[in-house]
């Protein structure tokens, strides 16, 4: 079994070779990385009722990202460490992006920068957000209750990378700048950076191989054996000749009876000619 350390080394070597062969700039995105990944970070969410503009609102705040904290990602070549640099949000926040606040990146927005009920900021810790939510909405009430019960404790944000840099050994990718415009921030059910693309979920697939149901494992093996881009491909096993078909006993008996009748007829004809 290949260790994670070995996988990382192999992936880094493959990236380095690919960059050298194609002349790809060091700022190129990791291959097959989703343009707008769903990155999730642990965050202490806080929800409380406040008065704002003569109305009562639920104020929910926390950090949608954490700067200078490495997390695992996967690209076409394998695993690597990704880090969001301190200051990566400065340019996009200065451009006054349009961003919405949603739960699990789905459903109707609960607040937005456009209506001034979503505030975003960047500090040493990361990308912070504060939203004012309408308590009359049923989805807001459910979210706030889940936060108070600590069933929802994580934050996430969706963005687009505008500047990044590989480390010299291609084991670490650093996001130096990202664009939040038309993205979203908000609480999510699970944290610890789960990923949304096939490439980035490769680690989950490897971890599950040992427990795959037999029918799924056989299908996966069959499909992998058809790929032509894998080194050390397995040599197909020689075809096993089909087992001889043995006729049922009744058919054999019938066959012998027909032969006997034919022989008797031939003998009879021969004797008549004599």
């Amino acid at each position: 079994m290949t260790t994670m350390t070995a996988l990382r080394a192999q992936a880094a070597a493959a990236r380095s070779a690919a960059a050298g062969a194609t002349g790809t700039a060091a700022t190129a995105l990791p291959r097959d990385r989703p343009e707008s990944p769903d990155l999730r970070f642990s965050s202490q969410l806080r929800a409380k009722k406040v008065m704002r503009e003569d109305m009562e609102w639920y104020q929910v705040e926390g950090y949608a990202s954490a700067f200078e904290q490495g997390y695992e990602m996967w690209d076409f070549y394998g695993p690597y460490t990704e880090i969001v640099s301190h200051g990566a949000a400065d340019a996009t926040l200065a451009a006054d992006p349009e961003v919405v606040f949603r739960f699990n990146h789905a459903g109707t927005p609960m607040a937005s920068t456009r209506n001034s009920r979503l505030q975003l900021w960047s500090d040493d810790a990361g990308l912070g957000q504060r939203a004012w939510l309408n308590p009359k909405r049923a989805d807001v009430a459910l979210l706030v209750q889940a936060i108070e019960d600590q069933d929802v404790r994580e934050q996430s944000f969706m963005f687009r990378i505008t500047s990044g840099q590989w480390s010299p050994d291609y084991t670490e990718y650093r996001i130096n700048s990202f664009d939040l415009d038309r993205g979203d921030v908000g609480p999510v059910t699970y944290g610890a950076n789960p990923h949304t693309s096939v490439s980035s979920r490769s680690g989950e697939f490897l971890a599950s191989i040992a427990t795959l149901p037999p029918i799924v494992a056989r299908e996966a093996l069959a499909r992998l054996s058809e790929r032509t881009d894998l080194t050390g491909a397995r040599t197909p096993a020689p075809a096993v000749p089909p087992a001889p078909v043995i006729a049922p006993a009744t058919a054999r008996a019938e066959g012998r009876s027909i032969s006997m009748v034919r022989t008797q007829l031939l003998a009879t004809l021969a004797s008549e000619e004599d």
Side-chain angles (χ1 to χ4, degrees):
M1 181 182 295
T2 306
T3 65
M4 183 58 69
T5 300
L7 282 176
R8 287 181 176 275
Q10 293 171 11
R15 289 189 202 100
S16 179
T22 61
T24 303
T27 53
L29 286 173
R31 182 174 172 184
D32 286 353
R33 183 189 192 279
E35 183 181 41
S36 299
D38 170 13
L39 299 180
R40 309 179 182 195
F41 299 85
S42 296
S43 177
Q44 292 297 318
L45 285 168
R46 295 175 295 277
K48 62 180 180 181
K49 275 192 173 181
V50 299
M51 294 298 297
R52 183 173 186 261
E53 299 176 352
D54 298 326
M55 289 183 60
E56 194 174 50
W57 303 86
Y58 278 119
Q59 179 177 298
V60 178
E61 63 180 72
Y63 280 88
S65 78
F67 297 153
E68 302 299 334
Q69 293 188 19
Y71 50 88
E72 183 179 274
M73 285 285 284
W74 284 67
D75 66 357
F76 176 83
Y77 302 104
Y80 66 94
T81 298
E82 188 169 87
I83 298 175
V84 181
S85 297
H86 177 267
D90 292 351
T92 189
L93 292 181
D96 192 23
E98 183 175 334
V99 185
V100 298
F101 178 97
R102 294 192 297 184
F103 175 53
N104 271 345
H105 302 292
T108 306
M110 300 178 181
S112 73
T113 54
R114 183 172 53 186
N115 60 21
S116 300
R117 286 198 288 109
L118 174 62
Q119 288 183 350
L120 302 172
W121 70 87
S122 175
D123 57 24
D124 291 340
L127 174 67
Q129 62 82 21
R130 181 180 297 114
W132 289 272
L133 312 181
N134 188 342
K136 297 178 182 179
R137 290 179 49 166
D139 55 351
V140 168
L142 287 173
L143 173 61
V144 171
Q145 188 62 59
I147 293 173
E148 291 178 348
D149 292 343
Q150 295 191 343
D151 292 324
V152 174
R153 296 174 296 174
E154 317 296 345
Q155 287 262 94
S156 178
F157 72 127
M158 295 192 72
F159 63 96
R160 182 171 56 85
I161 296 175
T162 54
S163 176
Q165 181 80 31
W166 279 108
S167 62
D169 62 358
Y170 286 89
T171 61
E172 177 184 293
Y173 187 77
R174 181 173 286 273
I175 299 173
N176 294 322
S177 179
F178 58 81
D179 185 5
L180 281 168
D181 193 45
R182 304 187 71 82
D184 65 37
V185 298
V188 289
T189 306
Y190 294 108
N193 308 311
H195 317 303
T196 56
S197 74
V198 173
S199 291
S200 58
R201 291 178 66 87
S202 299
E204 297 176 20
F205 172 73
L206 288 177
S208 67
I209 284 178
T211 57
L212 287 176
I215 188 172
V216 177
R218 285 195 295 271
E219 178 64 17
L221 181 61
R223 296 190 182 189
L224 288 172
S225 66
E226 295 174 356
R227 288 184 52 168
T228 59
D229 60 335
L230 303 179
T231 58
R234 293 164 57 98
T235 302
V240 178
V245 178
I246 301 176
T250 55
R252 295 199 301 271
E254 292 175 358
R256 286 197 299 270
S257 299
I258 293 172
S259 297
M260 291 176 62
V261 169
R262 182 173 180 274
T263 301
Q264 291 173 352
L265 286 174
L266 289 175
T268 303
L269 290 173
S271 62
E272 290 178 353
E273 291 177 355
D274 293 341

